[in-house]
Amino acid sequence: MRILHTMLRVGNLDRSIDFYTNVLGMRELRRKDYPDGKFTLAFVGYQDEADGAVLELTHNWDTDKYDLGNAYGHIALEVDDAYAACDQVKARGGKVVREAGPMKHGSTVIAFVEDPDGYKIEFIQRGSQAAG
């Protein structure tokens, strides 16, 4: 078994694809409309679906906003330099909600950004994780 994708419901598909591709540097892998169900699925990622897990962005045509609730955590992305990654996100119009720095009670360098729907994405700096 392997993880194929994580699905996120998004209120505005074009805005979300713009964030994941232009701010975070993913590629749009495929997109399909389902007129009978009134929804669109778009898949984005850093690699092809056959090679790794991706994100499925689900847009229900009649819903422009979701309540994220309090059970959702975050998506984690490994980055070479969390400080530089935050600078790039800000330069591209993205929102950094926790600047890069060591995590509380540890030495792993992390940061958090937020997508247009409020989903949190954690940056974890490569090589800064303590051996577990």
Side-chain angles (χ1 to χ4, degrees):
M1 288 188 218
R2 70 180 183 97
I3 295 174
L4 297 176
H5 63 259
T6 296
M7 186 271 270
L8 300 175
R9 288 184 175 88
V10 300
N12 179 310
L13 186 59
D14 291 330
R15 180 185 68 186
S16 293
I17 289 173
D18 180 67
F19 173 81
Y20 285 100
T21 59
N22 293 321
V23 176
L24 294 185
M26 294 182 186
R27 291 182 293 129
E28 182 177 344
L29 303 170
R30 62 186 169 104
R31 183 191 307 207
K32 183 170 182 183
D33 292 329
Y34 294 85
D36 291 343
K38 297 184 180 173
F39 68 94
T40 301
L41 302 181
F43 292 81
V44 296
Y46 292 109
Q47 54 198 354
D48 292 334
E49 292 174 79
D51 299 323
V54 300
L55 294 178
E56 173 189 321
L57 305 177
T58 298
H59 177 245
N60 293 297
W61 299 350
D62 61 352
T63 306
D64 62 0
K65 187 172 181 176
Y66 290 93
D67 176 8
L68 301 185
N70 62 5
Y72 174 79
H74 61 267
I75 297 164
L77 302 177
E78 184 179 62
V79 297
D80 289 329
D81 180 335
Y83 300 91
C86 286
D87 290 342
Q88 290 171 356
V89 165
K90 288 187 271 189
R92 295 173 181 161
K95 182 178 179 183
V96 175
V97 294
R98 195 260 198 209
E99 293 288 342
M103 64 180 276
K104 191 175 182 178
H105 309 297
S107 60
T108 303
V109 176
I110 64 170
F112 280 89
V113 301
E114 190 175 272
D115 86 350
D117 289 281
Y119 293 109
K120 303 289 189 286
I121 298 106
E122 179 183 26
F123 291 159
I124 300 174
Q125 186 165 297
R126 181 174 312 177
S128 70
Q129 299 97 326

Coordinates of all heavy atoms in Angstrom, one line a residue, residues 13-97:
L13 N -11.6 27.1 -7.1 CA -10.5 26.2 -7.7 C -9.4 27.0 -8.3 O -8.2 26.6 -8.1 CB -11.2 25.2 -8.7 CG -10.3 24.1 -9.2 CD1 -9.7 23.3 -8.0 CD2 -11.0 23.3 -10.2
D14 N -9.7 28.0 -9.1 CA -8.6 28.7 -9.8 C -7.7 29.4 -8.8 O -6.5 29.4 -9.0 CB -9.2 29.7 -10.8 CG -9.9 29.1 -12.0 OD1 -9.4 27.9 -12.4 OD2 -10.8 29.6 -12.5
R15 N -8.3 30.0 -7.8 CA -7.5 30.6 -6.7 C -6.6 29.6 -6.0 O -5.4 29.9 -5.8 CB -8.4 31.3 -5.7 CG -7.7 32.1 -4.6 CD -8.7 32.6 -3.6 NE -9.3 31.5 -2.9 CZ -10.3 31.6 -2.1 NH1 -10.8 32.8 -1.8 NH2 -10.8 30.6 -1.5
S16 N -7.1 28.4 -5.7 CA -6.3 27.4 -5.1 C -5.2 26.8 -5.9 O -4.1 26.7 -5.5 CB -7.3 26.3 -4.6 OG -8.1 26.8 -3.6
I17 N -5.5 26.6 -7.2 CA -4.5 26.1 -8.1 C -3.4 27.1 -8.3 O -2.2 26.8 -8.3 CB -5.1 25.7 -9.5 CG1 -5.9 24.4 -9.3 CG2 -4.0 25.5 -10.5 CD1 -6.7 24.0 -10.5
D18 N -3.8 28.4 -8.3 CA -2.8 29.5 -8.4 C -1.9 29.4 -7.2 O -0.6 29.5 -7.4 CB -3.5 30.8 -8.5 CG -2.5 32.0 -8.6 OD1 -1.7 32.0 -9.6 OD2 -2.4 32.8 -7.7
F19 N -2.4 29.3 -6.0 CA -1.6 29.2 -4.8 C -0.7 28.0 -4.8 O 0.6 28.1 -4.6 CB -2.5 29.1 -3.6 CG -1.7 28.9 -2.3 CD1 -1.1 29.9 -1.7 CD2 -1.6 27.6 -1.8 CE1 -0.3 29.7 -0.5 CE2 -0.8 27.4 -0.6 CZ -0.2 28.5 0.0
Y20 N -1.2 26.8 -5.1 CA -0.3 25.6 -5.0 C 0.7 25.6 -6.1 O 1.8 25.0 -6.0 CB -1.2 24.3 -5.0 CG -1.8 24.2 -3.6 CD1 -3.1 24.5 -3.4 CD2 -1.1 23.7 -2.6 CE1 -3.7 24.4 -2.1 CE2 -1.6 23.5 -1.3 CZ -2.9 23.9 -1.1 OH -3.5 23.8 0.2
T21 N 0.4 26.1 -7.3 CA 1.4 26.1 -8.4 C 2.3 27.3 -8.4 O 3.5 27.2 -8.4 CB 0.7 26.0 -9.8 OG1 -0.2 27.1 -9.9 CG2 -0.1 24.7 -9.9
N22 N 1.8 28.5 -8.2 CA 2.6 29.7 -8.3 C 3.3 30.1 -7.0 O 4.3 30.7 -7.0 CB 1.8 30.9 -8.9 CG 1.4 30.6 -10.3 OD1 2.2 30.1 -11.1 ND2 0.2 31.0 -10.7
V23 N 2.6 29.8 -5.9 CA 3.2 30.2 -4.6 C 4.1 29.0 -4.1 O 5.2 29.2 -3.6 CB 2.1 30.6 -3.6 CG1 2.8 30.9 -2.2 CG2 1.4 31.8 -4.1
L24 N 3.6 27.8 -4.1 CA 4.3 26.6 -3.6 C 5.1 25.9 -4.6 O 5.8 24.9 -4.3 CB 3.4 25.7 -2.8 CG 2.8 26.3 -1.5 CD1 2.0 25.2 -0.8 CD2 3.8 26.9 -0.6
G25 N 4.9 26.2 -5.9 CA 5.7 25.5 -6.9 C 5.3 24.1 -7.4 O 6.1 23.4 -8.0
M26 N 4.1 23.7 -7.1 CA 3.6 22.4 -7.5 C 3.2 22.6 -9.0 O 3.1 23.7 -9.6 CB 2.4 22.0 -6.7 CG 2.7 21.7 -5.3 SD 1.3 21.1 -4.4 CE 1.9 21.0 -2.7
R27 N 2.9 21.4 -9.6 CA 2.3 21.4 -11.0 C 0.9 21.0 -10.9 O 0.6 20.1 -10.1 CB 3.1 20.4 -11.9 CG 4.5 20.9 -12.2 CD 5.2 19.9 -13.1 NE 5.4 18.6 -12.4 CZ 5.1 17.4 -12.9 NH1 4.5 17.3 -14.1 NH2 5.3 16.3 -12.2
E28 N 0.1 21.5 -11.8 CA -1.3 20.9 -12.0 C -1.1 19.7 -12.8 O -0.6 19.8 -14.0 CB -2.2 21.9 -12.7 CG -3.6 21.4 -12.8 CD -4.6 22.4 -13.4 OE1 -4.3 23.6 -13.5 OE2 -5.7 21.9 -13.9
L29 N -1.5 18.6 -12.3 CA -1.3 17.3 -13.0 C -2.5 16.9 -13.8 O -2.3 16.3 -14.9 CB -1.0 16.2 -11.9 CG 0.2 16.5 -11.0 CD1 0.2 15.5 -9.9 CD2 1.5 16.5 -11.8
R30 N -3.7 17.1 -13.4 CA -4.9 16.8 -14.2 C -6.1 17.5 -13.5 O -6.0 17.8 -12.3 CB -5.1 15.3 -14.3 CG -5.3 14.6 -13.0 CD -5.4 13.0 -13.3 NE -5.4 12.3 -12.1 CZ -6.4 11.7 -11.5 NH1 -7.6 11.8 -12.1 NH2 -6.3 11.0 -10.4
R31 N -7.1 17.7 -14.3 CA -8.3 18.3 -13.8 C -9.5 17.7 -14.6 O -9.4 17.5 -15.8 CB -8.3 19.8 -14.1 CG -9.5 20.6 -13.6 CD -9.5 22.0 -14.1 NE -8.4 22.8 -13.8 CZ -8.4 24.1 -13.7 NH1 -9.5 24.8 -13.7 NH2 -7.2 24.8 -13.5
K32 N -10.6 17.5 -13.9 CA -11.8 16.9 -14.6 C -13.1 17.5 -14.0 O -13.2 17.5 -12.8 CB -11.8 15.4 -14.5 CG -13.0 14.8 -15.3 CD -12.9 13.3 -15.5 CE -14.1 12.9 -16.3 NZ -14.2 11.5 -16.5
D33 N -14.0 17.9 -14.8 CA -15.3 18.4 -14.4 C -16.2 17.2 -14.4 O -16.2 16.3 -15.3 CB -15.8 19.4 -15.4 CG -15.1 20.7 -15.3 OD1 -14.5 21.1 -14.3 OD2 -15.0 21.4 -16.4
Y34 N -17.1 17.2 -13.4 CA -18.2 16.2 -13.3 C -19.5 17.0 -13.3 O -20.1 17.2 -12.2 CB -18.0 15.4 -12.0 CG -16.8 14.5 -12.1 CD1 -15.5 15.0 -11.7 CD2 -16.8 13.2 -12.5 CE1 -14.4 14.2 -11.8 CE2 -15.7 12.4 -12.6 CZ -14.5 12.9 -12.2 OH -13.3 12.2 -12.3
P35 N -20.0 17.3 -14.5 CA -21.2 18.2 -14.5 C -22.5 17.6 -13.8 O -23.2 18.3 -13.2 CB -21.5 18.3 -16.0 CG -20.2 18.0 -16.7 CD -19.5 17.1 -15.8
D36 N -22.6 16.3 -13.9 CA -23.8 15.6 -13.3 C -23.7 15.8 -11.8 O -24.7 15.9 -11.1 CB -23.9 14.2 -13.7 CG -24.3 14.0 -15.1 OD1 -24.8 14.9 -15.7 OD2 -24.2 12.9 -15.6
G37 N -22.5 15.7 -11.2 CA -22.3 15.9 -9.8 C -22.1 17.3 -9.3 O -22.0 17.6 -8.2
K38 N -21.9 18.2 -10.3 CA -21.6 19.6 -10.1 C -20.3 19.8 -9.2 O -20.3 20.6 -8.2 CB -22.8 20.3 -9.4 CG -24.0 20.3 -10.4 CD -25.2 21.1 -9.8 CE -26.3 21.0 -10.8 NZ -27.5 21.6 -10.2
F39 N -19.3 19.1 -9.6 CA -18.0 19.3 -9.0 C -16.8 19.1 -9.9 O -17.0 18.6 -11.0 CB -17.8 18.4 -7.7 CG -17.7 17.0 -8.0 CD1 -16.5 16.4 -8.2 CD2 -18.8 16.2 -8.2 CE1 -16.4 15.0 -8.4 CE2 -18.7 14.8 -8.5 CZ -17.5 14.2 -8.6
T40 N -15.7 19.6 -9.6 CA -14.4 19.5 -10.3 C -13.4 19.0 -9.4 O -13.3 19.4 -8.3 CB -14.0 20.8 -10.9 OG1 -15.0 21.4 -11.8 CG2 -12.7 20.7 -11.7
L41 N -12.6 18.0 -9.9 CA -11.4 17.5 -9.2 C -10.1 18.0 -10.0 O -10.0 17.9 -11.2 CB -11.4 16.0 -9.2 CG -12.6 15.3 -8.5 CD1 -12.4 13.8 -8.5 CD2 -12.8 15.8 -7.1
A42 N -9.2 18.5 -9.2 CA -7.9 18.9 -9.8 C -6.8 18.3 -8.9 O -6.9 18.3 -7.7 CB -7.8 20.4 -9.9
F43 N -5.8 17.8 -9.5 CA -4.7 17.1 -8.8 C -3.4 18.0 -9.0 O -3.1 18.3 -10.1 CB -4.5 15.7 -9.2 CG -5.6 14.8 -8.9 CD1 -6.8 14.8 -9.6 CD2 -5.5 14.0 -7.7 CE1 -7.9 14.0 -9.2 CE2 -6.6 13.2 -7.4 CZ -7.8 13.2 -8.1
V44 N -2.7 18.3 -7.9 CA -1.5 19.1 -8.0 C -0.4 18.3 -7.1 O -0.8 17.6 -6.2 CB -1.7 20.5 -7.4 CG1 -2.7 21.3 -8.3 CG2 -2.2 20.5 -6.0
G45 N 0.8 18.5 -7.5 CA 1.9 17.9 -6.8 C 3.2 18.3 -7.4 O 3.3 19.0 -8.4
Y46 N 4.3 17.8 -6.7 CA 5.7 18.1 -7.1 C 6.2 17.0 -8.1 O 7.2 17.2 -8.7 CB 6.6 18.1 -5.9 CG 6.3 19.3 -5.0 CD1 5.7 19.2 -3.8 CD2 6.6 20.6 -5.5 CE1 5.5 20.3 -3.0 CE2 6.4 21.7 -4.7 CZ 5.8 21.6 -3.5 OH 5.6 22.7 -2.7
Q47 N 5.5 15.9 -8.1 CA 5.9 14.7 -9.0 C 4.6 14.1 -9.5 O 3.5 14.3 -9.0 CB 6.7 13.8 -8.2 CG 6.1 13.3 -6.9 CD 7.1 12.6 -6.0 OE1 8.3 12.5 -6.3 NE2 6.7 12.3 -4.8
D48 N 4.8 13.3 -10.5 CA 3.7 12.5 -11.1 C 3.0 11.6 -10.0 O 3.7 11.2 -9.1 CB 4.1 11.7 -12.3 CG 4.5 12.6 -13.5 OD1 4.1 13.7 -13.6 OD2 5.3 12.1 -14.3
E49 N 1.7 11.4 -10.2 CA 1.0 10.6 -9.2 C 1.6 9.2 -9.1 O 1.5 8.6 -8.0 CB -0.5 10.5 -9.7 CG -1.2 11.8 -9.5 CD -2.6 11.8 -10.1 OE1 -3.5 11.3 -9.4 OE2 -2.8 12.3 -11.2
A50 N 2.2 8.6 -10.2 CA 2.8 7.3 -10.1 C 4.0 7.3 -9.2 O 4.4 6.2 -8.7 CB 3.1 6.8 -11.5
D51 N 4.6 8.5 -9.0 CA 5.8 8.5 -8.2 C 5.7 9.0 -6.8 O 6.7 8.9 -6.0 CB 6.8 9.4 -9.0 CG 7.1 8.9 -10.4 OD1 7.2 7.7 -10.5 OD2 7.3 9.8 -11.3
G52 N 4.6 9.6 -6.4 CA 4.4 10.1 -5.1 C 3.0 10.6 -4.8 O 2.2 10.7 -5.7
A53 N 2.8 10.9 -3.5 CA 1.5 11.4 -3.1 C 1.3 12.8 -3.6 O 2.2 13.6 -3.8 CB 1.4 11.4 -1.6
V54 N 0.0 13.2 -3.9 CA -0.3 14.5 -4.4 C -1.5 15.0 -3.6 O -2.1 14.3 -2.8 CB -0.7 14.4 -5.9 CG1 0.6 13.9 -6.7 CG2 -1.9 13.5 -6.2
L55 N -2.0 16.2 -4.0 CA -3.2 16.8 -3.4 C -4.3 16.8 -4.4 O -4.1 17.1 -5.6 CB -2.9 18.2 -3.0 CG -2.0 18.5 -1.9 CD1 -1.8 20.0 -1.6 CD2 -2.4 17.8 -0.6
E56 N -5.5 16.4 -4.0 CA -6.7 16.4 -4.8 C -7.5 17.6 -4.3 O -7.9 17.7 -3.1 CB -7.5 15.2 -4.6 CG -8.9 15.2 -5.3 CD -9.8 14.1 -4.9 OE1 -9.3 12.9 -4.8 OE2 -11.0 14.3 -4.7
L57 N -7.7 18.6 -5.1 CA -8.5 19.8 -4.8 C -9.9 19.6 -5.3 O -10.0 19.4 -6.5 CB -7.8 21.0 -5.4 CG -6.4 21.3 -5.0 CD1 -5.9 22.5 -5.7 CD2 -6.2 21.4 -3.5
T58 N -10.8 19.5 -4.5 CA -12.2 19.2 -4.8 C -13.0 20.5 -4.8 O -13.1 21.2 -3.7 CB -12.9 18.2 -3.9 OG1 -12.1 17.0 -4.1 CG2 -14.3 17.9 -4.3
H59 N -13.6 20.9 -5.9 CA -14.4 22.1 -5.9 C -15.9 21.7 -6.2 O -16.2 21.3 -7.3 CB -13.9 23.1 -6.9 CG -14.8 24.3 -7.0 ND1 -15.5 24.7 -8.1 CD2 -15.1 25.3 -6.1 CE1 -16.2 25.8 -7.9 NE2 -16.0 26.2 -6.7
N60 N -16.7 21.9 -5.2 CA -18.2 21.7 -5.4 C -18.7 23.0 -5.9 O -18.5 24.1 -5.2 CB -18.8 21.3 -4.0 CG -18.4 19.9 -3.6 OD1 -18.6 18.9 -4.3 ND2 -17.7 19.8 -2.5
W61 N -19.3 23.0 -7.0 CA -19.7 24.2 -7.7 C -20.6 25.2 -6.9 O -20.6 26.4 -7.1 CB -20.3 23.9 -9.1 CG -19.4 23.2 -10.0 CD1 -18.0 22.9 -9.8 CD2 -19.7 22.5 -11.2 NE1 -17.5 22.2 -10.9 CE2 -18.5 22.0 -11.7 CE3 -20.9 22.4 -11.9 CZ2 -18.5 21.3 -12.9 CZ3 -20.8 21.7 -13.1 CH2 -19.7 21.2 -13.6
D62 N -21.4 24.6 -6.0 CA -22.3 25.4 -5.3 C -21.8 25.8 -3.9 O -22.6 26.4 -3.1 CB -23.7 24.7 -5.1 CG -23.5 23.4 -4.4 OD1 -22.4 23.0 -4.1 OD2 -24.5 22.7 -4.1
T63 N -20.5 25.6 -3.6 CA -20.0 26.0 -2.3 C -18.7 26.8 -2.5 O -17.8 26.4 -3.1 CB -19.6 24.7 -1.5 OG1 -20.8 23.8 -1.5 CG2 -19.2 25.0 -0.1
D64 N -18.7 28.0 -1.9 CA -17.6 28.9 -2.0 C -16.7 29.0 -0.8 O -15.7 29.7 -0.8 CB -18.0 30.2 -2.6 CG -18.9 31.0 -1.7 OD1 -19.2 30.5 -0.6 OD2 -19.3 32.1 -2.0
K65 N -17.2 28.4 0.3 CA -16.4 28.4 1.6 C -16.8 27.2 2.4 O -17.9 26.8 2.4 CB -16.8 29.7 2.3 CG -15.9 30.0 3.5 CD -16.1 31.3 4.1 CE -15.2 31.4 5.3 NZ -15.1 32.6 6.0
Y66 N -15.8 26.8 3.2 CA -15.9 25.6 4.1 C -15.5 26.0 5.5 O -14.6 26.8 5.7 CB -15.1 24.4 3.6 CG -15.7 23.8 2.4 CD1 -15.2 24.2 1.1 CD2 -16.7 22.9 2.4 CE1 -15.7 23.7 0.0 CE2 -17.2 22.3 1.3 CZ -16.7 22.7 0.0 OH -17.2 22.2 -1.1
D67 N -16.2 25.4 6.5 CA -15.7 25.5 7.9 C -14.7 24.4 8.1 O -15.1 23.2 7.9 CB -17.0 25.3 8.8 CG -16.6 25.3 10.3 OD1 -15.4 25.6 10.6 OD2 -17.5 25.0 11.1
L68 N -13.5 24.7 8.4 CA -12.4 23.7 8.5 C -12.6 22.9 9.7 O -11.9 21.8 9.8 CB -11.1 24.4 8.4 CG -10.7 25.2 7.2 CD1 -9.3 25.7 7.2 CD2 -11.0 24.4 5.9
G69 N -13.3 23.3 10.7 CA -13.5 22.5 11.9 C -12.2 22.5 12.7 O -11.2 23.3 12.5
N70 N -12.1 21.7 13.8 CA -10.9 21.7 14.6 C -10.2 20.4 14.6 O -9.3 20.2 15.4 CB -11.3 22.1 16.0 CG -12.2 21.2 16.7 OD1 -12.6 20.1 16.2 ND2 -12.7 21.5 17.9
A71 N -10.5 19.5 13.7 CA -9.8 18.2 13.6 C -8.7 18.2 12.6 O -7.7 17.5 12.8 CB -10.8 17.1 13.2
Y72 N -8.7 19.1 11.6 CA -7.7 19.1 10.6 C -6.4 19.7 11.2 O -6.4 20.6 11.9 CB -8.2 20.0 9.4 CG -7.1 20.2 8.4 CD1 -6.8 19.2 7.4 CD2 -6.3 21.4 8.4 CE1 -5.8 19.4 6.5 CE2 -5.3 21.6 7.4 CZ -5.0 20.6 6.5 OH -4.0 20.8 5.6
G73 N -5.3 19.1 10.8 CA -4.0 19.6 11.2 C -3.3 20.4 10.2 O -3.5 21.6 10.1
H74 N -2.5 19.7 9.4 CA -1.8 20.4 8.3 C -1.2 19.5 7.3 O -1.1 18.3 7.6 CB -0.7 21.3 8.9 CG 0.4 20.5 9.7 ND1 0.3 20.3 11.1 CD2 1.5 19.9 9.3 CE1 1.3 19.6 11.5 NE2 2.0 19.3 10.4
I75 N -0.7 20.0 6.2 CA 0.1 19.3 5.3 C 1.6 19.7 5.5 O 1.9 20.8 5.8 CB -0.3 19.7 3.8 CG1 -1.7 19.3 3.6 CG2 0.7 19.0 2.8 CD1 -2.3 20.0 2.3
A76 N 2.5 18.7 5.5 CA 3.9 19.0 5.7 C 4.7 18.9 4.4 O 4.6 17.9 3.7 CB 4.5 18.1 6.8
L77 N 5.6 19.9 4.2 CA 6.4 19.9 3.0 C 7.9 20.0 3.5 O 8.2 20.9 4.3 CB 6.1 21.0 2.1 CG 4.7 21.1 1.5 CD1 4.6 22.4 0.6 CD2 4.4 19.9 0.7
E78 N 8.8 19.2 3.0 CA 10.2 19.3 3.3 C 10.8 20.4 2.4 O 10.5 20.4 1.2 CB 10.9 18.0 3.1 CG 12.4 18.1 3.5 CD 13.1 16.8 3.3 OE1 13.1 16.3 2.2 OE2 13.6 16.2 4.3
V79 N 11.5 21.3 3.0 CA 12.2 22.4 2.2 C 13.7 22.4 2.6 O 14.0 22.0 3.7 CB 11.5 23.8 2.5 CG1 10.1 23.8 2.0 CG2 11.6 24.2 3.9
D80 N 14.5 22.9 1.6 CA 15.9 23.0 1.9 C 16.2 24.1 3.0 O 17.0 23.9 3.9 CB 16.7 23.4 0.6 CG 16.7 22.3 -0.3 OD1 16.8 21.1 0.1 OD2 16.8 22.5 -1.5
D81 N 15.5 25.2 2.9 CA 15.7 26.3 3.8 C 14.3 27.0 4.1 O 13.7 27.6 3.3 CB 16.6 27.4 3.1 CG 16.9 28.6 3.9 OD1 16.1 29.0 4.8 OD2 18.0 29.2 3.7
A82 N 13.9 26.8 5.3 CA 12.5 27.3 5.7 C 12.5 28.8 5.7 O 11.4 29.4 5.4 CB 12.1 26.7 7.1
Y83 N 13.5 29.4 6.1 CA 13.6 30.9 6.1 C 13.4 31.4 4.6 O 12.6 32.3 4.4 CB 14.9 31.4 6.7 CG 15.1 31.0 8.1 CD1 15.8 29.8 8.4 CD2 14.6 31.7 9.2 CE1 15.9 29.4 9.7 CE2 14.8 31.3 10.5 CZ 15.4 30.1 10.7 OH 15.6 29.7 12.0
A84 N 14.2 30.9 3.7 CA 14.1 31.3 2.3 C 12.7 30.9 1.7 O 12.1 31.7 0.9 CB 15.2 30.6 1.5
A85 N 12.2 29.8 2.1 CA 10.8 29.3 1.6 C 9.8 30.3 2.1 O 8.9 30.7 1.3 CB 10.5 27.9 2.1
C86 N 9.8 30.8 3.3 CA 8.9 31.8 3.8 C 9.0 33.1 3.0 O 8.0 33.8 2.6 CB 9.1 32.1 5.3 SG 8.5 30.8 6.3
D87 N 10.3 33.5 2.7 CA 10.5 34.8 1.9 C 9.9 34.6 0.5 O 9.3 35.5 0.0 CB 12.0 35.1 1.8 CG 12.6 35.5 3.1 OD1 11.8 35.9 4.0 OD2 13.8 35.5 3.3
Q88 N 10.0 33.4 -0.1 CA 9.5 33.2 -1.4 C 8.0 33.2 -1.4 O 7.3 33.8 -2.3 CB 10.0 31.9 -2.0 CG 11.4 31.9 -2.3 CD 11.9 30.5 -2.6 OE1 11.2 29.5 -2.6 NE2 13.2 30.4 -3.0
V89 N 7.4 32.6 -0.4 CA 5.9 32.6 -0.3 C 5.4 34.1 -0.2 O 4.5 34.5 -0.8 CB 5.4 31.8 0.9 CG1 4.0 32.1 1.3 CG2 5.6 30.3 0.6
K90 N 6.0 34.9 0.7 CA 5.6 36.3 0.9 C 5.8 37.1 -0.4 O 4.9 37.9 -0.8 CB 6.4 36.9 2.0 CG 5.9 36.4 3.4 CD 6.6 37.2 4.5 CE 7.9 36.5 4.9 NZ 8.5 37.1 6.1
A91 N 6.9 36.8 -1.1 CA 7.2 37.5 -2.4 C 6.2 37.2 -3.5 O 5.9 38.0 -4.4 CB 8.6 37.2 -2.9
R92 N 5.6 36.0 -3.4 CA 4.6 35.6 -4.3 C 3.2 35.8 -3.9 O 2.2 35.3 -4.5 CB 4.8 34.1 -4.6 CG 6.1 33.7 -5.3 CD 6.3 32.3 -5.3 NE 7.6 32.0 -6.0 CZ 8.2 30.8 -5.8 NH1 7.7 29.8 -5.1 NH2 9.4 30.6 -6.4
G93 N 3.0 36.6 -2.8 CA 1.7 37.0 -2.3 C 1.0 36.0 -1.4 O -0.2 36.1 -1.0
G94 N 1.8 35.0 -0.9 CA 1.2 34.0 0.1 C 1.3 34.6 1.5 O 1.9 35.6 1.8
K95 N 0.6 33.8 2.4 CA 0.5 34.3 3.8 C 1.3 33.3 4.7 O 1.0 32.1 4.8 CB -0.9 34.2 4.2 CG -1.2 34.7 5.6 CD -2.7 34.6 5.8 CE -3.1 35.0 7.2 NZ -4.5 35.0 7.5
V96 N 2.3 33.8 5.4 CA 3.1 33.1 6.4 C 2.4 33.4 7.7 O 2.3 34.5 8.1 CB 4.6 33.5 6.4 CG1 5.3 32.9 7.5 CG2 5.2 33.3 5.0
V97 N 2.0 32.3 8.4 CA 1.3 32.5 9.7 C 2.2 32.1 10.9 O 1.9 32.4 12.0 CB 0.0 31.7 9.7 CG1 -1.0 32.2 8.7 CG2 0.2 30.2 9.5

